[in-house]
Amino acid sequence: MGMTMTQKILAAHAGLESVEAGQLIMANLDLVLGNDITSPVAINEFEKNGFNKVFDNTKVAMVMDHFVPNKDIKAAQQTKQCRTFAKSFNITNYYDVGEMGIEHALIPEKGLAAPGDCIIGADSHTCTYGALGAFSTGIGSTDMAAGMATGKAWFKVPSAIKFTLTGSLQKGVSGKDVILYIIGMIGVDGALYRSMEFTGEGLHSLSMDDRLAMANMAIEAGAKNGIFEVDDKTLEYVNGRVNREFTVYKADEDAVYDEEYVINLSEIVSTVACPHLPENTKPASELTDIVPDQVVIGSCTNGRISDMEAAANILKGKKVAKDIRVIVIPATQSVYKECIKRGYMDIFIDAGCAVSTPTCGPCLGGYMGILADDEIAVATTNRNFVGRMGAKSSKIYLASPEVAAATAVVGHIVDPKEVME
Amino acid sequence: MNVKGFVHKYGDNVDTDVIIPARYLNTANHKELAAHCMEDIDTEFVNKVKDGDIMVGGANFGCGSSREHAPIAIKESGISCVIASTFARIFYRNAINIGLAILECPEASEKIAAGDEVAVDFDTGVITNITKNEEYKAQPFPEFIKEIIASNGLLNSLK
């Protein structure tokens, strides 16, 4: 029986000829990742259980991004614990203030994830690296501790849903709209325990940043991982970043899928997820009565340079609407620098936006843009759960950078086509 | 292993942000986390919960963030077992890894009401609703997972 992309990667990392859905395996890991929130719990477990070495100091990564630069004393203590651990085990991929970025933007950018890799991260959005053709999945802190100690993790081999993409994206529509559309279609548990595998000629119209945004939100459909077939764009992206050998895996012709969907990208319009679940989607054009108090452009979903470019193109020469606070957060230092180089910083600041150093900050209600009672945000982030960005009665509408920027200018949710030249 | 307790009942898609809001994730202290468990969907939970009580949810319980703080907060608050029709996969893993008992059982999830007294036999997978005098059969764990639980968590099983 044929294997999916995910099954082939898992088989190779478990040292097996083949695997099938439902099989329990022990797989070798290429990278074990944690952040400033999840690593402390992992370090506590690691130390409590008497482990005294990491399996490979170059294959553990810790990125201080959630409450960093430290938001308060307790957060500072947690980062300090990570820093001390990283120093004592000589963790080469430890990223702190000045070098750090939002982990899921930083890891691909630094070439730490490659096609065919098997990666776990103590952060649910670790599924992002599936955009590069890797098997990559979120786990908890205990799995991270075990991964750091042994270089292995157990998995139940997932079955898969196949998404064949056709056509090409309309102007003003990006990867975020596609994944919101798909989550709206299959629901927040539509891919529970399973892989979402993306293939088809439509891939050509998706930039790497579009794919990273889509794979990032596979977890929002309950998926174990999202994975894209590797093509020329993938190889162009990893060449010069990944300084080691890697293997490209393609699904077998006779691979078995639980479900198959054909998605015509040309038919997808700017899409927004309404409170309080990512599956509550509507076309942006139907939500013009929604007037936000705050707009956030950033996060591990949409803080990359294409996202900044999309926002800057809409904000150029314009002012944000009165009474809307707009916060722009480039996801990494290099994205931040590129924004300066390309003149986006001038555009954002002249338009009346606040621009922040990289941080997850407001996305999870940490800091840097918390919502008060009953306030409304339009955000390019990935979750709109109750209280996610602040007060329990606040509301989040998830959108693309194009929709968020257009909303900031017009003063209510709008299809970005309305303001694009 | 058997547990018995009174039920705290919730709906579908109980996410980890409501189980333990991120504003409290600046600590890994189990007691501090438990003090805010379920705060954003049930402000009374921490006052009502008693040792041994059972939590029952609908579909996709524990969706969202990978924060292990979520099952830790539930376990530390005294909950002996979580029953749901389905669990989000990271929460499922985390619960097993930290030794919080969980069972998937759509029938129990549907029929058990808040306040019911329920007993769970993990060896047989039988859930007994003492209040309603009903029995439901849960999916038993695969052997591999039973071994992790028998070793009292993943890290112990590696030693």
Side-chain angles (χ1 to χ4, degrees), chain A residues 105-134:
Chain A
L106 190 72
I107 298 289
E109 187 186 288
K110 293 277 182 196
L112 295 176
D117 276 359
C118 179
I119 299 174
I120 61 167
D123 187 282
S124 59
H125 292 108
T126 304
C127 51
T128 308
Y129 320 136
L132 306 177

Side-chain angles (χ1 to χ4, degrees), chain A residues 337-383:
Chain A
K337 236 176 111 173
E338 190 64 20
C339 285
I340 294 172
K341 211 167 103 187
R342 295 192 192 179
Y344 299 164
M345 284 296 181
D346 286 339
I347 293 171
F348 296 145
I349 293 169
D350 291 345
C353 308
V355 187
S356 161
T357 191
T359 181
C360 304
C363 171
L364 75 163
Y367 70 138
M368 290 296 294
I370 302 300
L371 300 173
D373 284 340
D374 304 319
E375 283 194 327
I376 293 172
V378 171
T380 68
T381 56
N382 41 53
R383 292 197 173 120

Side-chain angles (χ1 to χ4, degrees), chain B residues 76-88:
Chain B
E76 188 68 25
S77 71
I79 291 291
S80 63
C81 176
V82 184
I83 299 166
S85 56
T86 55
F87 289 93

Side-chain angles (χ1 to χ4, degrees), chain A residues 37 49 67 72 74 78 122-124 137-143 154 188 193 224 364 383 385 388 392, chain B residues 13 15 17 22 25-26 32 40 60 64-66 68-69 87 89-90 93-94 97 104 144 154-155 159:
Chain A
I37 304 256
N49 285 277
F67 294 163
D72 55 26
K74 284 181 169 179
Q78 296 206 124
D123 187 282
S124 59
T137 192
I139 44 76
S141 296
T142 297
D143 275 316
W154 66 267
V188 290
Y193 306 129
K224 181 167 204 147
L364 75 163
R383 292 197 173 120
F385 298 152
R388 170 82 175 174
K392 210 163 80 177
Chain B
N13 302 310
D15 64 75
D17 277 277
L25 298 185
N26 55 3
E32 282 184 58
D40 283 358
N60 204 23
S65 153
S66 71
E68 208 160 284
H69 312 68
F87 289 93
R89 64 159 281 277
I90 307 179
R93 247 187 121 89
N94 287 348
N97 284 343
E104 278 192 347
F144 182 83
L154 178 66
L155 293 177
K159 284 182 189 166

Side-chain angles (χ1 to χ4, degrees), chain A residues 43 47 62 64 76-91 94 96:
Chain A
I43 293 168
E47 291 173 346
M62 281 189 193
M64 305 296 100
Q77 292 298 136
Q78 296 206 124
T79 335
K80 190 178 174 187
Q81 186 185 6
C82 297
R83 194 178 300 121
T84 307
F85 181 88
K87 267 191 189 149
S88 65
F89 289 95
N90 193 25
I91 305 295
Y94 171 78
D96 209 328

